[in-house]
Amino acid sequence: MASSAVCSSSFVAFSPKKYDVFVSFRGEDTRSNFTSHLITALCQRSIKTFVDYKLERGEEISQALTDAIEDSNVSLIVFSENFASSKWCLEELTKILECKRNQGQVVIPVFYKVDPSHVRKHTMKQAFAKHEQDSAALKVNKWKASLTEAANLAGWDSRTYR
């Protein structure tokens, strides 16, 4: 079984889901700074948080990760400069938005040092040029649609909020 970090306390909440919050992020960009502080703050407030610290990476997201996304009330997506360069992040994003549509999951985008319009308009052209070489066009188009959908949601811009 994959190892992950889950924060909880003796606080008992009546929630039909296993996790309050699922945090999606590009580890290389934010793990040691913004995301670690965010997760600490959530845990200090007794919010059951799933973070995929030690799951194996690959082309497809693992079943453990899919299950954690489905079993969360809220997903926080931390968009960063290199988020779109990761197929893993894009697959995770697509699954999160599927849960939003099918299960009513709350999805909150956080734009960490990146302009929301850059996410919305896919201005991460280098990342997508590589994906277009390596992946099927249908999959790349699905990822682009997912980025646009998520970037159009009300969220937090780190350039505006501390």
Side-chain angles (χ1 to χ4, degrees):
M1 177 174 214
S3 176
S4 62
V6 178
C7 304
S8 64
S9 72
S10 58
F11 174 75
V12 178
F14 295 97
S15 171
K17 303 284 187 172
K18 186 173 181 181
Y19 307 105
D20 296 318
V21 177
F22 178 91
V23 182
S24 175
F25 62 99
R26 174 94 166 119
E28 294 172 20
D29 291 354
T30 67
R31 181 183 316 276
S32 298
N33 48 46
F34 178 78
T35 303
S36 64
H37 296 294
L38 172 65
I39 293 161
T40 298
L42 292 169
C43 292
Q44 286 174 342
R45 286 163 182 77
S46 301
I47 297 171
K48 292 183 288 182
T49 305
F50 180 90
V51 183
D52 65 330
Y53 282 128
K54 296 182 182 178
L55 292 176
E56 279 190 45
R57 300 289 191 251
E59 291 293 312
E60 301 293 323
I61 59 175
S62 70
Q63 188 61 49
L65 189 57
T66 298
D67 292 346
I69 293 168
E70 290 174 351
D71 212 7
S72 297
N73 289 311
V74 175
S75 282
L76 285 174
I77 305 164
V78 181
F79 289 107
S80 57
E81 183 179 358
N82 297 306
F83 185 91
S85 67
S86 168
K87 291 179 184 180
W88 181 277
C89 288
L90 294 169
E91 285 292 320
E92 195 173 276
L93 172 63
T94 301
K95 179 62 182 175
I96 288 168
L97 293 172
E98 177 186 306
C99 288
K100 177 186 180 297
R101 288 187 294 276
N102 298 337
Q103 300 174 3
Q105 186 176 93
V106 175
V107 177
I108 303 169
V110 177
F111 302 95
Y112 179 72
K113 295 185 179 180
V114 64
D115 189 318
S117 69
H118 292 174
V119 176
R120 191 177 304 113
K121 297 174 184 174
H122 319 139
T123 55
M124 305 99 163
K125 295 205 184 298
Q126 286 180 316
F128 277 103
K130 174 111 174 80
H131 294 324
E132 287 167 348
Q133 290 176 349
D134 299 342
S135 302
L138 184 62
K139 185 170 274 211
V140 172
N141 288 336
K142 191 174 188 179
W143 292 338
K144 286 180 178 180
S146 292
L147 280 171
T148 300
E149 181 181 346
N152 282 326
L153 297 171
W156 299 95
D157 185 340
S158 71
R159 297 167 313 142
T160 307
Y161 297 97
R162 272 182 44 97

